[in-house]
Amino acid sequence: MKMCCGALAVVLLLLSVDAATIDRVEYDYFKYHPMDEITKWMTQIEKDYKDIARIEDYGHTYENRTISLLKIGLETGQQKKAIWMDCGIHAREWIAPAFCQFFVREILQAYKTDPKMNEMMKNMDFYVTPVLNVDGYMFSWQNNETRLWRKNRTPGPRNCTCFGTDLNRNFDANWGTVGVSYDCCSNTYCGTSPASEPEAQAVTKFVGSRKDDFLCFLTIHSYGQLLLVPYGHPNFTADNYDELMEVGLAAADAIRQVHGKNYTVGTSPAVLYSNSGSSRDWARMQGIPLTYTFELRDKGMYGFVLPEDQIQPACEEAYEGAMHIITYAYNKTFNGAVATAAAAVWSLILAVGVTSATLM
Amino acid sequence: MSLRILMFLAVMSAVTGSPSSTVAPEATSQNQTVNPTGAAVDGGVSPDSTNEIQESDLNEPQEDEMETGVLNPDHYPARRAARVVQHYLNTRYGSPYKVFHLDTVHSATAENVTDSGRKYQVEFSVKDMISKKSVKSSAEVFFPKLDEATEKQLQELWYQQQRLQQQHTPVVTISCQEPLAIDTKAQEEAWYQQNKVNQSLVSQNLPDSHGHIEPGMEPLWHLGIVASSFIMLNQSTENTLYNMAQVANVTQLETENEQLKFEYDILLHDMVSQEIPRWRMQFTWSPTEGVRVLQMQHLPKCHNCKLPETN
């Protein structure tokens, strides 16, 4: 009798597991997803890639929602070098969170099949935030009137009935100087003070506490088909401007090779407009060498409401651009001439040391 | 002997640095730090220190700082001027079946025209988004110098009513015949006839939140871009970069004459201010006459609208 029940239980279990596998629908990376679906997806990724993916909650929004990232890389027990990517700082730029999700999928697949990515995952961690401005993103999903919302959802200060601060003007980087408005109703309102916003504070704290680990800081936006390098203030030039431009132009070439789309590379004041308080500028000022703002498709025909049939090509080309920058940063740190030179010097020192010891 | 060991150790630590870090890339050792007033610590030029930053100073360079001579075609002055040409082309040649979008700026120059404004010369390519045909051309764009009152009015975000202002509209002269070469007469005529009979076209949200346009509604979307090009052309300055973000609402109005007549609520996007100005316009269209604007009105931003509860 007992054995019969046991066997029945096993059969039922197997059937239910089977059913679960059949029922689970493949996540559609080429549709726009509301926040609750993105959250569920993150949980699923963590489950499916237990050995290399982990969710980390690193802050909260004004409306007290959790801000989370996926940390992807092999757990080595040591502090590793890192890559930062955030999407959805601006609510209406829906292609950006779509790209972050696609990026995660791609690197996880490449981890299994591409030796280079496998090596990168051993030596580096990828920190990807699919939606930074959670409140704003959710607000933009509410109805047709809210679709083009940009800012977060912090209420305005006294005497101002409007909502929202432009998070990409709120970082502590030349804050409040250029390309901003002090009017809380404006879409470029920079907030009440540098990093006054909890979303900006979350990034500042997380990245700031391990800034020497980061090789690369990529912040994803739309639209315009641009790769923007620091700084947003016209009077300041990054000391590695030449490197930023060279790597950026090569990344734009990589993008063009996918679907023929042209991305313009340059500083914001040169190709677009001056601005201050951007996350990219803040990251560069922390010493993170390769910081870029990606402005994805298109160039204004659809603008923020990019059709879903363009999600795939937009993501594919941006992925090549991002990977070019990331691979460059990785190679510069881990491979090549530098390592060889260090090895040569070591050998020389050891030889001198041994000789001295022998002579004594 | 101990001195030699000390030297050996000193040499080792100097070369290898901190034992826990990997070889650091060049750039991280040179921090570009900036103190809160905006003065750079290394490199760069400090802005004039001032505690009273006027809001008008916060945006674009003043006129005397604007570039003249040969312009970098990838930089914003040339791109903004070329965008104005796109708007002009759409007002002149656009239709429910023909919409131009700026593709590339090949070259550009700019000059100050003493006391009256600035003139750009641009060589560019535009693409017709429907036929996908590319047209290369050149044009001159003249931005009239704005008096202080008009400048202020244009910078304000929510003025109640804005009638067609002729005096600040940029003036565009093109030198190409090709936009006329794309033949859309048959489709335009068919659409015209269809809607002359049933004067009841109605639509919202073109495109919708997901970028989708209801099949059969594309000509209405295209017509919206063409009509809004009149507004965008009229409102353009060297400090704006307009695209149409969305058609919020379309209603076809009845007419007894040859024209089709529409009322559109249109959302524009100005890339520079990042604002979404909302305009209502009434205009007529026919294959022979193109778009004729009857009325256009800037609708105020709705800050205190009753919005659905957030969850």
Side-chain angles (χ1 to χ4, degrees):
Chain A
M1 185 62 175
K2 266 190 192 164
M3 254 181 72
C4 169
C5 286
L8 187 63
V10 170
V11 168
L12 283 170
L13 184 65
L14 285 170
L15 279 172
S16 67
V17 166
D18 228 46
T21 322
I22 292 166
D23 283 349
R24 191 194 338 154
V25 182
E26 272 291 311
Y27 191 77
D28 192 342
Y29 287 88
F30 308 131
K31 284 230 145 18
Y32 294 118
H33 292 276
M35 195 64 215
D36 62 316
E37 287 176 18
I38 296 176
T39 306
K40 273 199 208 95
W41 166 82
M42 289 177 78
T43 309
Q44 193 63 52
I45 291 285
E46 189 183 42
K47 211 182 282 179
D48 291 348
Y49 293 89
K50 265 193 289 286
D51 52 340
I52 54 168
R54 224 181 60 218
I55 295 175
E56 278 188 37
D57 298 338
Y58 67 100
H60 62 87
T61 64
Y62 173 78
E63 289 172 349
N64 221 9
R65 297 190 176 94
T66 310
I67 306 176
S68 308
L69 55 76
L70 277 163
K71 176 183 176 181
I72 299 172
L74 221 47
E75 194 60 63
T76 61
Q78 294 180 330
Q79 194 146 350
K80 295 162 72 186
K81 288 297 179 188
I83 305 289
W84 174 271
M85 182 182 290
D86 66 74
C87 295
I89 241 191
H90 289 139
R92 58 195 180 196
E93 300 166 11
W94 285 13
I95 186 63
F99 173 65
C100 265
Q101 294 164 70
F102 176 85
F103 180 82
V104 163
R105 200 269 301 265
E106 288 301 295
I107 61 174
L108 287 171
Q109 282 185 352
Y111 165 72
K112 290 193 246 177
T113 59
D114 176 19
K116 180 70 174 183
M117 181 62 75
N118 200 285
E119 181 194 315
M120 289 205 274
M121 294 264 189
K122 288 197 177 97
N123 292 319
M124 284 195 318
D125 288 324
F126 291 79
Y127 291 91
V128 182
T129 301
V131 184
L132 180 57
N133 179 9
V134 184
D135 293 349
Y137 186 69
M138 291 181 71
F139 186 70
S140 75
W141 272 81
Q142 278 188 16
N143 58 46
N144 294 309
E145 305 303 311
T146 62
R147 174 61 178 86
L148 296 175
W149 186 259
R150 169 180 167 89
K151 304 184 282 181
N152 74 352
R153 291 295 297 165
T154 304
R158 285 193 315 274
N159 303 330
C160 188
T161 54
C162 299
F163 281 74
T165 294
D166 184 345
L167 292 173
N168 211 32
R169 302 287 185 276
N170 186 243
F171 281 78
D172 191 1
N174 287 322
W175 179 85
T177 54
V178 69
V180 296
S181 175
Y182 296 146
D183 188 316
C184 107
C185 295
S186 163
N187 262 349
T188 54
Y189 174 58
C190 53
T192 50
S193 63
S196 56
E197 303 308 299
E199 297 88 352
Q201 286 167 28
V203 176
T204 301
K205 199 159 139 212
F206 189 88
V207 175
S209 67
R210 58 203 83 180
K211 59 184 176 163
D212 291 334
D213 294 343
F214 282 99
L215 302 177
C216 179
F217 182 103
L218 305 178
T219 180
I220 315 295
H221 294 245
S222 77
Y223 59 91
Q225 291 177 211
L226 308 169
L227 293 182
L228 300 174
V229 306
Y231 287 103
H233 196 297
N235 293 358
F236 300 110
T237 308
D239 52 38
N240 65 332
Y241 171 79
D242 289 343
E243 178 187 40
L244 285 162
M245 284 303 293
E246 198 183 314
V247 177
L249 286 165
D253 281 340
I255 291 174
R256 192 177 309 113
Q257 303 214 4
V258 186
H259 297 296
K261 293 297 182 190
N262 283 317
Y263 276 57
T264 304
V265 184
T267 64
S268 194
V271 306
L272 187 60
Y273 48 56
S274 301
N275 69 342
S276 57
S278 69
S279 64
R280 172 206 64 225
D281 283 1
W282 174 83
R284 185 64 194 86
M285 285 172 180
Q286 299 309 301
I288 300 171
L290 293 156
T291 64
Y292 292 86
T293 306
F294 275 58
E295 295 282 356
L296 302 183
R297 288 194 190 188
D298 62 9
K299 297 211 280 197
M301 190 69 181
Y302 289 92
F304 300 117
V305 286
L306 192 72
E308 287 179 314
D309 65 16
Q310 285 201 45
I311 296 179
Q312 183 171 2
C315 287
E316 286 169 343
E317 67 201 14
Y319 179 77
E320 294 304 321
M323 281 316 298
H324 180 89
I325 297 167
I326 290 167
T327 308
Y328 170 87
Y330 177 85
N331 288 341
K332 194 175 174 189
T333 311
F334 291 97
N335 296 337
V338 188
T340 319
V345 176
W346 262 107
S347 317
L348 185 64
I349 291 166
L350 281 168
V352 168
V354 165
T355 317
S356 316
T358 318
L359 287 174
M360 283 181 287
Chain B
M1 177 175 134
S2 56
L3 183 60
R4 284 189 177 148
I5 290 171
L6 275 171
M7 277 175 60
F8 171 49
L9 288 169
V11 170
M12 271 184 65
S13 56
V15 169
T16 58
S18 151
S20 64
S21 70
T22 54
V23 180
E26 236 172 47
T28 53
S29 61
Q30 301 164 38
N31 285 333
Q32 178 89 8
T33 54
V34 178
N35 68 40
T37 63
V41 173
D42 14 279
V45 173
S46 309
D48 293 334
S49 65
T50 166
N51 289 320
E52 291 170 12
I53 298 170
Q54 303 298 321
E55 186 143 343
S56 61
D57 296 344
L58 294 175
N59 294 311
E60 296 303 317
Q62 300 310 304
E63 194 187 275
D64 54 5
E65 291 172 37
M66 295 292 285
E67 272 186 82
T68 55
V70 176
L71 303 178
N72 185 322
D74 282 343
H75 287 190
Y76 76 77
R79 288 155 64 97
R80 290 179 194 175
R83 177 75 68 201
V84 174
V85 181
Q86 173 201 304
H87 298 321
Y88 171 79
L89 284 172
N90 282 324
T91 61
R92 282 293 309 273
Y93 303 106
S95 83
Y97 290 90
K98 196 183 297 172
V99 176
F100 292 103
H101 204 75
L102 178 67
D103 199 26
T104 317
V105 184
H106 301 294
S107 66
T109 61
E111 63 181 274
N112 291 323
V113 180
T114 333
D115 284 338
S116 67
R118 280 174 53 80
K119 189 164 77 173
Y120 288 75
Q121 180 89 302
V122 283
E123 298 215 344
F124 60 93
S125 293
V126 286
K127 193 189 271 198
D128 169 30
M129 299 312 287
I130 295 129
S131 69
K132 305 289 189 230
K133 292 207 181 114
S134 209
V135 176
K136 189 167 175 187
S137 186
S138 63
E140 222 173 68
V141 184
F142 177 71
F143 290 102
K145 188 175 171 139
L146 302 173
D147 64 69
E148 217 174 285
T150 316
E151 175 103 63
K152 193 173 197 300
Q153 203 172 30
L154 278 176
Q155 277 180 11
E156 261 167 49
L157 298 170
W158 43 91
Y159 39 90
Q160 295 297 313
Q161 196 125 350
Q162 175 78 7
R163 273 169 274 115
L164 202 65
Q165 297 258 8
Q166 293 298 340
Q167 63 270 29
H168 67 246
T169 306
V171 179
V172 180
T173 324
I174 56 166
S175 16
C176 54
Q177 292 299 311
E178 281 178 72
L180 301 172
I182 302 168
D183 187 6
T184 50
K185 285 200 195 69
Q187 298 124 299
E188 288 171 23
E189 192 59 38
W191 194 77
Y192 170 76
Q193 290 302 334
Q194 189 185 330
N195 294 298
K196 197 84 199 81
V197 174
N198 284 325
Q199 298 194 14
S200 57
L201 268 180
V202 153
S203 195
Q204 299 94 34
N205 305 313
L206 302 172
D208 71 13
S209 289
H210 296 244
H212 179 70
I213 295 177
E214 210 70 32
M217 292 292 145
E218 299 96 331
L220 269 185
W221 174 52
H222 298 147
L223 190 58
I225 298 174
V226 173
S228 64
S229 297
F230 283 85
I231 307 173
M232 296 192 284
L233 177 61
N234 176 250
Q235 295 292 300
S236 283
T237 67
E238 289 167 286
N239 297 328
T240 59
L241 186 70
Y242 280 109
N243 287 296
M244 187 187 83
Q246 198 179 41
V247 174
N249 209 9
V250 189
T251 315
Q252 186 177 4
L253 305 172
E254 282 195 21
T255 57
E256 261 129 41
N257 58 28
E258 294 296 301
Q259 311 296 308
L260 301 182
K261 188 173 174 187
F262 298 93
E263 184 173 272
Y264 269 69
D265 277 7
I266 277 162
L267 300 175
L268 302 180
H269 173 232
D270 170 31
M271 186 69 84
V272 181
S273 66
Q274 292 293 353
E275 296 297 334
I276 307 283
R278 191 177 182 120
W279 288 77
R280 176 165 292 160
M281 46 185 328
Q282 282 191 14
F283 63 89
T284 62
W285 178 82
S286 72
T288 44
E289 297 293 310
V291 169
R292 293 280 148 108
V293 178
L294 302 172
Q295 263 183 58
M296 57 191 228
Q297 182 191 1
H298 181 260
L299 301 176
K301 212 160 133 177
C302 183
H303 296 302
N304 299 312
C305 293
K306 187 147 170 56
L307 289 166
E309 263 10 296
T310 48
N311 290 327

